[in-house]
Amino acid sequence: MARFTAPEKWNDEWFSNLKPLEKLVFLYLVDKCDNAGFFEINKRIDAFLIGITEDEFMSNLRSIKKTYIASTDGRKIWLKNYLFYQKNLPLNPDNNAHKQIISFITTNLKIFNYDFNYLGANEGLFSPIGKGNIIGKGNSKVNEGGMGETILWTQE
């Protein structure tokens, strides 16, 4: 699966202040999470794949805790800005590329104490969108929203 990277992260003050192993753990999470940004922690395998000890993995994971939200059982994390940097916001249930992401979020709702509704377009992620009005015809781009997404409908 293709992933976007933001090369400007290397100039970001937060990222540039990370220690080398913290950067490595962060980049590992970004590379290994699912398309919605969820990552299931298996410290033995994760540490092995990176080439560090389990204690080093867990210590560095705790050091970058501002980048994720942990599940209530502590077995999974969700990378908070992952969907933004992958250019997937706002989520649209009519977009085929977003259907898998919405499915992953729905599957994980119960184990995260977090309101994922802000990720949806206008009505919230898990609210019915309704039919709305189509603003264009064919494949032409009609209008762009604040994040560069093409607006294909308006709420009635």
Side-chain angles (χ1 to χ4, degrees):
M1 88 189 96
R3 304 275 170 128
F4 289 110
T5 186
E8 61 273 6
K9 71 180 163 279
W10 293 96
N11 296 328
D12 180 87
E13 184 177 356
W14 172 80
F15 189 79
S16 66
N17 286 330
L18 292 176
K19 296 174 186 167
L21 283 182
E22 292 168 342
K23 289 176 184 167
L24 185 58
V25 168
F26 175 74
L27 295 172
Y28 173 79
L29 296 175
V30 170
D31 284 348
K32 296 290 283 182
C33 69
D34 67 22
N35 285 342
F38 292 101
F39 178 84
E40 187 169 354
I41 298 169
N42 183 334
K43 64 182 179 180
R44 183 179 61 81
I45 292 173
D46 299 330
F48 172 78
L49 290 174
I50 294 173
I52 59 179
T53 68
E54 292 177 26
D55 288 341
E56 286 175 316
F57 176 75
M58 293 306 294
S59 173
N60 286 285
L61 184 62
R62 284 188 294 275
S63 295
I64 60 168
K65 66 184 175 188
K66 78 179 256 182
T67 65
Y68 63 84
I69 295 171
S71 63
T72 54
D73 63 5
R75 299 165 104 191
K76 277 189 173 183
I77 60 173
W78 178 64
L79 300 174
K80 294 190 284 190
N81 290 323
Y82 181 77
L83 291 172
F84 172 78
Y85 284 109
Q86 294 303 305
K87 315 277 189 234
N88 281 315
L89 291 179
L91 291 176
N92 179 351
D94 294 327
N95 179 327
N96 286 333
H98 292 175
K99 288 179 182 178
Q100 182 191 46
I101 294 170
I102 292 169
S103 173
F104 288 157
I105 292 170
T106 303
T107 300
N108 286 287
L109 273 178
K110 292 181 181 177
I111 63 169
F112 282 85
N113 188 17
Y114 185 77
D115 181 9
F116 288 95
N117 280 308
Y118 88 92
L119 302 172
N122 296 338
E123 287 292 315
L125 183 58
F126 301 105
S127 300
I129 296 290
K131 293 192 178 182
N133 296 322
I134 302 299
I135 298 181
K137 294 181 181 180
N139 293 327
S140 63
K141 289 188 178 183
V142 181
N143 196 357
E144 288 194 3
M147 301 234 350
E149 72 279 5
T150 300
I151 298 173
L152 298 175
W153 55 273
T154 58
Q155 280 305 108
E156 294 182 300

